[in-house]
Amino acid sequence: MTINCKGNLVDLSSPKVMGILNITPDSFYDGGAYKNESEILNQVEKMLLDGATFIDVGAYSSRPGAQHISEEEELKRSLPVINLLLQYFPEIIISVDTFRSKVAKETINAGAALINDISGGKMDENMFATVSKLQVPYILMHMLGTPQNMQQNPVYENVTKEIISFFAAQIYKLRQLKLNDVVIDVGFGFGKTIDHNFELLKNLALFKSLDVPILTGVSRKSMLYKTLDISTQEALNATTSANTIALLNGANILRVHDVKEAVEAVKIVHKVQ
């Protein structure tokens, strides 16, 4: 349960928190919130001080129906931010949220440490070969369709069984390419109904059979705020509740907007266990 991030072994047997930095104008919760260097640096400093182990930089909005942007635009957004963060926080472990192999290669070469792929290798046939060549930890997420169509009509016969099968097949391909560090993410809200999402949260422990670390990303998502009939801004308490359930069911990384509260959940669950 360790992953190698630029020579730094991170032990995931003790759960870690990944702070989200969306540098997009249209992300569902914080789109457009961090427009200049000082806003970016202040937010990242806060997340690091609050206990984030990783900072996940996203330059492509993957909310349902999000606008598609080019590789060039994605790189234009992400590379200056990676350079900025490494300049001010040299020890930072940066994850890049991208499904494109070219973006993965260029951002890792710029100093990022992990790749977080919402498509699980399905949207760029060169992604697996690229991350294997780079030998960086790879977060393999499940998504049905694309961000533009994933929520139109997601149907499964058995959502848990089908996603476990998907992961088993993709992990096998990555092992054939000699990639050591693979993390899985069931992809809450990515081509799933609210009922699918809660079934996956309930069954999360079954994914431990794949013998790789598990990342969960439920932070302020519609599965929570629609269930409670509240706004995204009001969904922090629900997020903490869902994160706690995920931790009890074996989650190794929590990907969140609110780092302090997630770190507190990790500490409380650790005390119980």
Side-chain angles (χ1 to χ4, degrees):
M1 283 293 160
T2 60
I3 57 172
N4 187 337
C5 300
K6 293 167 67 175
N8 176 26
L9 283 182
V10 180
D11 181 8
L12 299 179
S13 60
S14 168
K16 301 296 186 284
V17 173
M18 175 180 282
I20 298 168
L21 181 72
N22 283 322
I23 48 172
T24 55
D26 57 343
S27 288
F28 78 95
Y29 171 61
D30 53 359
Y34 312 113
K35 294 183 289 291
N36 59 49
E37 289 189 0
S38 66
E39 287 173 344
I40 289 167
L41 290 171
N42 287 341
Q43 174 63 5
V44 170
E45 182 178 44
K46 181 182 187 302
M47 290 194 288
L48 293 172
L49 290 173
D50 284 343
T53 298
F54 311 99
I55 300 296
D56 192 45
V57 175
Y60 183 106
S61 177
S62 55
R63 66 174 175 78
Q67 182 186 356
H68 183 75
I69 64 168
S70 67
E71 279 185 351
E72 289 68 30
E73 178 64 23
E74 189 177 349
L75 283 165
K76 197 167 96 176
R77 291 177 183 177
S78 55
L79 287 174
V81 171
I82 290 166
N83 292 330
L84 177 72
L85 296 183
L86 288 166
Q87 179 186 343
Y88 281 87
F89 312 106
E91 302 302 310
I92 194 171
I93 303 176
I94 297 173
S95 162
V96 175
D97 183 353
T98 187
F99 56 82
R100 290 163 161 156
S101 59
K102 181 182 178 182
V103 175
K105 183 179 179 182
E106 294 201 24
T107 53
I108 292 295
N109 287 340
L114 306 86
I115 295 299
N116 180 13
D117 180 0
I118 60 167
S119 80
K122 290 289 193 179
M123 290 175 69
D124 185 333
E125 62 183 14
N126 296 317
M127 180 60 93
F128 281 11
T130 299
V131 290
S132 299
K133 189 173 181 183
L134 293 166
Q135 276 300 312
V136 291
Y138 176 67
I139 300 166
L140 172 71
M141 198 191 86
H142 175 273
M143 172 172 62
L144 194 68
T146 69
Q148 288 71 37
N149 64 24
M150 63 188 181
Q151 288 303 102
Q152 287 173 10
N153 184 30
V155 175
Y156 303 85
E157 284 188 26
N158 182 320
V159 66
T160 302
K161 190 175 175 182
E162 287 175 46
I163 295 176
I164 288 174
S165 295
F166 166 80
F167 283 140
Q170 298 299 83
I171 291 167
Y172 176 78
K173 292 175 192 172
L174 289 162
R175 297 299 189 218
Q176 294 294 103
L177 291 166
K178 304 288 191 288
L179 184 69
N180 295 320
D181 296 333
V182 181
V183 178
I184 57 170
D185 174 359
V186 300
F188 292 104
F190 284 81
K192 286 102 181 163
T193 64
I194 288 175
D195 286 345
H196 290 146
N197 289 319
F198 279 102
E199 186 175 339
L200 289 166
L201 184 60
K202 182 180 79 171
N203 292 335
L204 197 66
L206 297 176
F207 290 84
K208 295 198 300 192
S209 64
L210 294 161
D211 202 27
V212 293
I214 299 168
L215 178 148
T216 57
V218 294
S219 184
R220 297 183 179 266
K221 284 189 173 175
S222 63
M223 63 181 278
L224 304 176
Y225 67 76
K226 286 183 179 177
T227 296
L228 299 176
D229 195 21
I230 57 176
S231 69
T232 318
Q233 282 67 30
E234 297 170 301
L236 177 55
N237 186 52
T239 297
T240 301
S241 300
N243 279 336
T244 303
I245 295 166
L247 289 165
L248 290 168
N249 284 339
N252 304 98
I253 302 173
L254 300 177
R255 182 180 180 275
V256 298
H257 299 91
D258 309 278
V259 170
K260 178 176 177 286
E261 291 79 0
V263 168
E264 289 174 352
V266 169
K267 288 178 180 176
I268 294 296
V269 169
H270 176 71
K271 199 73 175 169
V272 170
Q273 292 175 334

